[in-house]
Amino acid sequence: MTLHRTIAAVTGRIRERSAATRGPYLERMAKAVSDGPARAHLSCGNQAHAYAAMSGDKDRLATGRAPNLGIVTAYNDMLSAHQPFESYPGQIRAAARRAGATAQVAGGVPAMCDGVTQGQPGMELSLFSRDVIALAAGVALSHNCFDAALYLGVCDKIVPGLIIAAATFGHIPAVFVPAGPMTSGLPNDEKSKVRNRFATGEIGREALMAAEMASYHGPGTCTFYGTANTNQMLMEFMGLHLPGASFVNPGTPLRQALTDAAVEKAASITALGNAFRPVGEILDERAFVNGIVGLMATGGSTNLVLHLPAMARAAGIILDLQDFAEISDVVPLMAKVYPNGLADVNHFHAAGGLGFMIGQLMQAGLLHADAKTIMGDGLEMYRREPKLIDGRLTWADGSDRTLNDSILRPAADPFAPQGGLKQLTGNLGRGVIKVSAVAPDRHVVEAPVRIFHDQDAVKQAFKRGEFTSDVVVVVRFQGPRANGMPELHSLTPTLSVLQDRGLRVALVTDGRMSGASGKVPAAIHVSPEAACGGPLARLRDGDVVRLDAVAGTLTALVPGFDARPLVEADLSANAHGIGRDLFGAFRQYVGPATDGAALVV
């Protein structure tokens, strides 16, 4: 199938824009490859330190004839999605031995749970944790003992941080090893209804707790289609997972077989063999365009609009919001998974999942079918699905039709002709909005604003009954320089209740919403942020703002607006407590949201 002209044009523009950075990046990676296997350059003392505790693997490590795989793990048992990784190192070492290789845990990286920190001070460290993860993974791989790396990570900032590190060490192969989603519990829409009833005081905390525990109930990712599951989709579309690996539940024989196969794949694509696949070559402009296409087709998390530019920059690729907007304009929305539908990711996977979707998008010319992956050249293998037949892992032809068209539809008959994200521009700056879960009659909201400088103040105003008419709620000084750009997901029940009461409501912020942001229109990541003199700092209570997701505009309808003085905020409260003291340099030097709000790239 011929590549769609818009996909071709956007890819060409990215390639041209990135020439000055991608070329030197590839030269650095080629130089590292030409130096040969890293262990050959270590002294005997260096190597003895590295292998001292490796018991039965010492001889093979010392001779350097077998591939040595470095495991970078984000295991902890605070995150349900990462708890299964506890047993992976032992399984990986055993699988590596069977494949004639060795494996070592190179290091661990932090992994925080946004579900725990929502609405709490710790959320102000959440986005910055991505850069810490990249740094920690870099430290792990700096031992320079590894012929390939296996990355164990799933959730929100973890996969982007690991990708930044993998790109930085792009001269060796990288295989990302998922753990899968938890089995389905209390449906996400039922959980949302309980939250709204709690917000209005209809039920107490005991009922709320029971609902939350019934929804988040076991090992694996949360089942809604937020950032964690969007990350898993992305790794498959970008060719860094084994085909069909993203949404297989933890603790199943198929999950174990896929983990073993990931180890075998990593061992087979090192420079010591004949199928060398350094990850720096995989992470090119085609891979990132394919990732953006997947983001739009699935109605994925808005957080990836922040993460993808940072991830790409680590590989010398420069993305712009306009790339997202133009791809969204031509990629159909093919999935309805909560919050833009009632299904969860298990239902999506059963309906045909990513294999069906990738096949459809390839046929429509909306993917770079020739992109490099860990499986070889091209995406054809990613149309297939893994199966255990007589105890052996094999890949069979995936479904060529949807098994549930209320969840997953073909590209020619989608839920919407365009993707789930829109760019917004205007005299308030540049931002994005996720429209896949927003009713069409809410795509345009024009109303007076109420100004707040933290999300708790919005909730208190709601409890006092102050929202009685149409309103654009502006929560500013929430950008990366101000306070680390926390998610404002805890506002979702409050704003949803107002909308359910018949008010026209929208949120405008230089902060973030959760990857599960839902039915209330929200202009987020507005840049420049208020703390850097952005125009949000000119708004006053009562100003009329128009959020128009159809036209792609975000405008203050105020005469002489650009000449107004800027409001300043006291940000001292964001500097201390719950670890925030440690991140002053991050707040001072972090880049703008349009570039990924990153510090290390």
Side-chain angles (χ1 to χ4, degrees):
M1 179 64 68
T2 303
L3 189 65
H4 191 286
R5 62 180 182 274
T6 297
I7 301 299
V10 171
T11 306
R13 188 173 65 233
I14 294 171
R15 187 180 294 119
E16 182 178 354
R17 184 193 302 136
S18 306
T21 48
R22 179 67 174 172
Y25 169 83
L26 291 175
E27 290 175 6
R28 293 194 301 274
M29 297 304 111
K31 172 65 167 56
V33 169
S34 69
D35 288 341
R39 283 173 292 149
H41 304 289
L42 298 180
S43 73
C44 294
N46 294 150
Q47 294 189 65
H49 278 288
Y51 313 148
M54 292 303 293
S55 59
D57 291 324
K58 276 187 183 181
D59 290 343
R60 280 187 295 172
L61 283 163
T63 60
R65 298 191 184 101
N68 188 33
L69 311 179
I71 304 166
V72 179
T73 177
Y75 162 73
N76 66 43
D77 54 16
M78 169 74 73
L79 278 77
S80 60
H82 288 196
Q83 185 274 339
F85 288 140
E86 182 176 15
S87 62
Y88 274 39
Q91 180 182 346
I92 289 169
R93 281 191 287 267
R97 292 183 191 114
R98 292 193 296 271
T102 56
Q104 296 177 282
V105 174
V109 304
M112 65 185 295
C113 180
D114 287 357
V116 176
T117 58
Q118 287 291 352
Q120 304 298 319
M123 176 52 75
E124 295 179 15
L125 309 186
S126 173
L127 180 59
F128 290 149
S129 76
R130 179 193 64 193
D131 292 50
V132 175
I133 289 158
L135 292 168
V139 170
L141 295 173
S142 68
H143 296 100
N144 213 20
C145 296
F146 309 110
D147 300 292
L150 293 160
Y151 294 93
L152 314 185
V154 173
C155 284
D156 297 17
K157 268 62 59 187
I158 295 90
V159 167
L162 293 175
I163 285 285
I164 291 170
T168 305
F169 287 79
H171 62 288
I172 61 173
V175 176
F176 278 66
V177 185
M182 70 178 67
T183 56
S184 300
L186 180 74
N188 288 293
D189 64 315
E190 293 299 319
K191 174 194 67 184
S192 179
K193 291 175 183 176
V194 173
R195 286 179 173 177
N196 288 355
R197 292 181 66 199
F198 178 77
T200 59
E202 296 175 54
I203 60 172
R205 185 167 295 277
E206 185 175 339
L208 175 65
M209 188 66 177
E212 298 286 0
M213 294 290 282
S215 180
Y216 306 118
H217 64 90
T221 59
C222 309
T223 59
F224 59 81
Y225 195 54
T227 309
N229 287 317
T230 303
N231 282 340
Q232 302 313 290
M233 172 280 299
L234 201 69
M235 292 300 93
E236 204 149 323
F237 267 76
M238 294 177 69
L240 295 173
H241 273 178
L242 292 183
S246 296
F247 299 132
V248 175
N249 300 125
T252 60
L254 181 55
R255 176 85 276 157
Q256 181 168 353
L258 284 165
T259 301
D260 287 348
V263 179
E264 295 167 12
K265 176 56 64 177
S268 72
I269 59 175
T270 74
L272 298 176
N274 298 317
F276 185 39
R277 289 262 141 184
V279 70
E281 293 182 5
I282 293 175
L283 290 172
D284 66 5
E285 61 280 349
R286 294 172 298 178
F288 285 101
V289 167
N290 284 350
I292 298 172
V293 170
L295 181 67
M296 301 308 169
T298 58
S301 166
T302 53
N303 279 324
L304 271 300
V305 182
L306 279 175
H307 296 320
L308 276 162
M311 294 156 62
R313 194 173 292 269
I317 305 292
I318 309 301
L319 301 180
D320 186 80
L321 285 182
Q322 188 63 29
D323 304 326
F324 291 82
E326 291 185 22
I327 291 173
S328 182
D329 283 345
V330 299
V331 173
L333 179 65
M334 297 170 60
K336 282 280 190 182
V337 186
Y338 189 85
N340 71 321
L342 298 182
D344 67 23
V345 292
N346 293 309
H347 306 138
F348 167 77
H349 186 63
L354 297 178
F356 171 80
M357 182 174 279
I358 288 171
Q360 288 284 307
L361 291 166
M362 286 173 64
Q363 291 175 21
L366 292 167
L367 286 173
H368 288 281
D370 61 343
K372 292 185 176 184
T373 76
I374 60 171
M375 303 299 292
D377 290 345
L379 290 176
E380 191 62 36
M381 269 295 292
Y382 288 83
R383 301 176 66 166
R384 312 192 78 191
E385 63 175 308
K387 293 182 179 294
L388 273 181
I389 299 176
D390 296 327
R392 293 177 60 86
L393 179 64
T394 187
W395 273 267
D397 290 338
S399 177
D400 60 0
R401 62 185 180 87
T402 176
L403 302 181
N404 188 332
D405 64 6
S406 68
I407 299 171
L408 182 62
R409 289 189 182 173
D413 182 28
F415 292 103
Q418 297 177 328
L421 294 174
K422 291 279 191 178
Q423 178 183 214
L424 300 172
T425 60
N427 64 356
L428 288 175
R430 299 175 78 192
V432 294
I433 181 172
K434 181 176 178 178
V435 295
S436 55
V438 177
D441 66 347
R442 300 280 175 172
H443 285 189
V444 179
V445 176
E446 181 178 316
V449 303
R450 280 288 308 273
I451 307 290
F452 301 91
H453 289 179
D454 64 73
Q455 56 188 313
D456 187 60
V458 181
K459 297 178 207 175
Q460 294 305 316
F462 171 79
K463 290 178 180 178
R464 292 191 297 267
E466 295 179 7
F467 297 110
T468 57
S469 58
D470 296 349
V471 64
V472 173
V473 175
V474 175
V475 188
R476 63 189 179 191
F477 296 101
Q478 302 298 306
R481 287 283 184 100
N483 64 350
M485 205 178 189
E487 288 184 350
L488 306 178
H489 183 57
S490 66
L491 292 180
T492 299
T494 298
L495 299 177
S496 297
V497 168
L498 294 177
Q499 184 166 275
D500 291 344
R501 289 174 177 171
L503 302 183
R504 297 190 67 77
V505 180
L507 173 70
V508 174
T509 182
D510 46 11
R512 297 184 292 139
M513 283 295 281
S514 166
S517 51
K519 63 184 182 180
V520 176
I524 59 177
H525 309 176
V526 176
S527 183
E529 63 174 289
C532 292
L536 286 185
R538 294 192 172 95
L539 283 172
R540 306 290 187 269
D541 280 333
D543 290 344
V544 174
V545 162
R546 181 179 177 87
L547 188 166
D548 188 335
V550 178
T553 57
L554 181 64
T555 312
L557 305 178
V558 179
F561 179 74
D562 293 342
R564 272 189 181 174
L566 298 166
V567 170
E568 295 185 3
D570 180 5
L571 303 176
S572 59
N574 306 124
H576 304 288
I578 318 298
R580 289 178 289 184
D581 314 65
L582 302 174
F583 286 81
F586 282 67
R587 291 189 296 272
Q588 184 176 354
Y589 294 109
V590 66
T594 47
D595 291 343
L599 186 78
V600 299
V601 291

